[in-house]
Amino acid sequence: MPVGSRNAWLALAAMVTVMAAAVFFRFYDLATNPGGLYGDEAAEGLDALRLLHQPGFHPDWMVWFQGDGGREALFAYVVAGAFHFFGETALVLRATAAAFGVTGVLAIGWLGRRFGAWTGVVAAAWAAGSLWLICISRDGMRNTIVPLFGAVALIALLHWAARPGRLQALLAGAVVSLASLYTYQPLKLLPLLVIVWIVWLRHADRARYNELRAGLLPFAAAFLVVAAPMIAVAVTDPISYFGRAAAVSTFNPAVEADASLPIHILKTIAMFGFTGDGNGRHDVAFLPLLPLPLVALAILGVWRLWRNRRDPSHSLILLSLPIFMIPPLVATEGWSPHFLRVLGMAAPLGVTIGLGAAEFVDQARRRWGRLGGGPAIAPLAPIAAIALTLAAVAVWSGWTYLSRPVSDRYTAYSYEVAAAGQYAADHPGSVVVIDPFSGTDIEFLQWANPPTIVSPGTRIDHPEVYAAIVALTKADLTNALGAELGDRAQPVAWDPSGKPVVWAVK
């Protein structure tokens, strides 16, 4: 068998192994881990149910939900399709997200393959075993689609650069528009990336720029056609469309940040090897986004990208790294760092790690050759080191996530809200005193037979008409029922430490 053919078969076998690992890490024990259900997940599921069952219900301009802070509707449409075929459950909601996570790994590998077969394998291997992407992929929220669409958008741009033409420009414009406007906030910087990249090519590779220039108008036309519904949303309801981004920005004087801007920036940069996200849905135990061995590979990858910066493919990946760092740097609300805001970087970071692995192997072999060679096995040592590192990181990530106890997930995934909803479901005709955001969980989980939901502070004048009055605190029951009935409240659910988290009066 020719060497090239043997190498191709080895790469294919490695990719199959990587994809099997991606499936395992995203689907194993998904029915119980992470468990509970966070309100943002429930909002996606509830809108999917409404699309299926509520006559006349549709998002604004068919693409935008105003609820839950404003959301792109693409993920909810896919969830609605999954509900139709597989059932209307939290497991199907999260399995849809996990399926996006698996296809995202494949797309990152496909993107990396444009730089070499083994670069693609390493990029996919990192994505498959990344604790960051495993966490994101197992939550039923729209951010899980970012790695897939980010990778596909970059692939379309590289295809246009490799084969300049109007058809390729139209395809790239349409895909970039879809990815940037219909997925999740970080990818909204894709148009900025395209502009900076085109300007860079005009400076660094005038011949290639001249080839692409004829496609700029078709690219823009396709972008605007696909973008038209979302542009209509932005024009007709700018507060909803721009409100979330403005609310979390450092330019908002009312933003609730966990650190000053300089500290926030330092902690965000330090996520490469040192700091982690304190939100238990995005991370585990404040672990960094990249462990130090992979940070070293990423640095080598940046060096390789920089050396080849005049090449359109390398320059696109290189420019994407700082551009997709803008959202986590300027959005200071919440934890520092905030891993969801870095998701635009997932695809180019995978390629960078893949190129770093190639650079490491090349340098190791060159240095070995200058030393006079040696045993035939020696040139394989750097390859084995890369493979062992990626495998160790994947196993460590999977174990870290899958072995996390319920006590670490309880609050992050609103177990107590799910318990309140279940208690109400077990007592048909109940009312639950709960805030509207948390109540979304109960509306989704108990869609077929929902209890009555009232906001805290609401007075319940005729409690006798309900089978049970349920709340997350005894104080909420006292406010709703008065002191006499409130004193009769009994705990009906407890957190892992034994603290009562759901109270009821029957």
Side-chain angles (χ1 to χ4, degrees):
M1 179 182 294
V3 174
S5 177
R6 181 174 61 188
N7 186 62
W9 280 108
L10 286 172
L12 178 60
M15 193 65 184
V16 169
T17 303
V18 164
M19 293 310 301
V23 171
F24 176 81
F25 289 139
R26 284 153 182 80
F27 281 94
Y28 178 76
D29 196 29
L30 190 58
T32 59
N33 189 351
L37 194 72
Y38 185 59
D40 285 348
E41 296 178 283
E44 299 285 5
L46 189 58
D47 282 334
L49 289 173
R50 288 169 174 161
L51 286 170
L52 288 173
H53 300 295
Q54 186 172 321
F57 177 81
H58 60 79
D60 293 353
W61 295 92
M62 308 305 292
V63 297
W64 182 260
F65 292 118
Q66 291 192 30
D68 195 29
R71 287 176 293 109
E72 300 83 357
L74 176 59
F75 180 66
Y77 279 119
V78 179
V79 171
F83 282 172
H84 176 75
F85 289 105
F86 303 109
E88 300 167 352
T89 66
L91 176 58
V92 172
L93 169 65
R94 284 177 169 161
T96 306
F100 270 114
V102 171
T103 54
V105 172
L106 184 62
I108 290 172
W110 184 18
L111 173 64
R113 195 177 185 281
R114 302 189 71 89
F115 299 83
W118 286 102
T119 299
V121 170
V122 172
W126 164 75
S130 165
L131 178 61
W132 169 40
L133 298 185
I134 290 171
C135 289
I136 302 305
S137 298
R138 293 174 67 99
D139 294 349
M141 295 183 283
R142 72 193 187 285
N143 45 64
T144 188
I145 71 181
V146 170
L148 168 62
F149 281 91
V152 171
L154 293 176
I155 290 167
L157 289 170
L158 293 183
H159 181 67
W160 178 33
R163 300 176 59 187
R166 282 182 167 77
L167 180 60
Q168 289 79 7
L170 285 168
L171 177 64
V175 171
V176 168
S177 183
L178 177 67
S180 60
L181 297 178
Y182 296 90
T183 56
Y184 183 59
Q185 298 291 335
L187 288 185
K188 284 183 170 53
L189 292 182
L190 269 171
L192 173 63
L193 172 61
V194 174
I195 292 170
V196 173
W197 180 55
I198 293 294
V199 171
W200 169 253
L201 289 180
R202 186 175 186 274
H203 163 76
D205 189 347
R206 194 58 177 262
R208 184 62 57 90
Y209 167 77
N210 288 335
E211 290 178 327
L212 293 175
R213 186 169 58 180
L216 292 178
L217 186 57
F219 178 96
F223 183 96
L224 291 173
V225 168
V226 174
M230 198 62 79
I231 292 174
V233 171
V235 171
T236 58
D237 193 0
I239 294 177
S240 173
Y241 185 76
F242 297 105
R244 176 61 179 168
V248 302
S249 167
T250 188
F251 304 108
N252 173 18
V255 69
E256 295 183 4
D258 72 335
S260 63
L261 181 59
I263 297 300
H264 164 79
I265 291 173
L266 288 174
K267 290 173 70 176
T268 299
I269 294 172
M271 68 186 171
F272 299 107
F274 301 99
T275 59
D277 191 334
N279 189 319
R281 292 181 299 280
H282 314 160
D283 195 6
V284 178
F286 289 90
L287 291 168
L289 188 140
L290 284 185
L292 285 171
L294 295 187
V295 173
L297 286 183
I299 291 172
L300 285 174
V302 170
W303 169 240
R304 194 176 182 108
L305 288 166
W306 177 256
R307 289 205 322 267
N308 296 286
R309 61 190 180 277
R310 294 186 177 276
D311 171 72
S313 298
H314 288 77
S315 62
L316 180 65
I317 301 300
L318 182 63
L319 290 168
S320 68
L321 297 175
I323 285 176
F324 287 127
M325 273 294 289
I326 294 173
L329 290 174
V330 303
T332 54
E333 182 267 342
W335 291 99
S336 302
H338 193 296
F339 283 0
L340 293 188
R341 295 168 189 156
V342 196
L343 278 171
M345 190 184 284
L349 183 58
V351 174
T352 303
I353 292 171
L355 290 171
E359 182 71 16
F360 175 76
V361 171
D362 289 348
Q363 290 195 20
R365 286 178 166 175
R366 283 197 298 269
R367 292 172 186 271
W368 184 257
R370 287 198 296 268
L371 291 174
I377 196 66
L380 297 177
I383 297 175
I386 296 294
L388 287 173
T389 298
L390 290 169
V393 169
V395 171
W396 168 78
S397 296
W399 173 258
T400 298
Y401 185 94
L402 295 173
S403 65
R404 183 171 45 158
V406 170
S407 58
D408 289 350
R409 299 178 257 139
Y410 199 89
T411 300
Y413 289 97
S414 305
Y415 273 67
E416 71 282 6
V417 178
Q422 186 59 55
Y423 185 86
D426 293 339
H427 297 78
S430 294
V431 59
V432 182
V433 182
I434 199 165
D435 66 274
F437 176 73
S438 299
T440 303
D441 262 22
I442 298 174
E443 290 181 71
F444 169 65
L445 292 171
Q446 311 302 331
W447 169 262
N449 189 24
T452 301
I453 294 176
V454 300
S455 297
T458 302
R459 183 74 179 189
I460 298 176
D461 294 323
H462 300 286
E464 68 278 0
V465 304
Y466 299 107
I469 301 94
V470 187
L472 302 185
T473 68
K474 190 173 182 179
D476 282 344
L477 288 175
T478 300
N479 290 334
L481 303 172
E484 183 178 351
L485 278 179
D487 286 342
R488 291 169 44 191
Q490 298 294 319
V492 295
W494 298 260
D495 69 13
S497 70
K499 176 185 175 182
V501 291
V502 181
W503 297 75
V505 172
K506 291 196 293 183

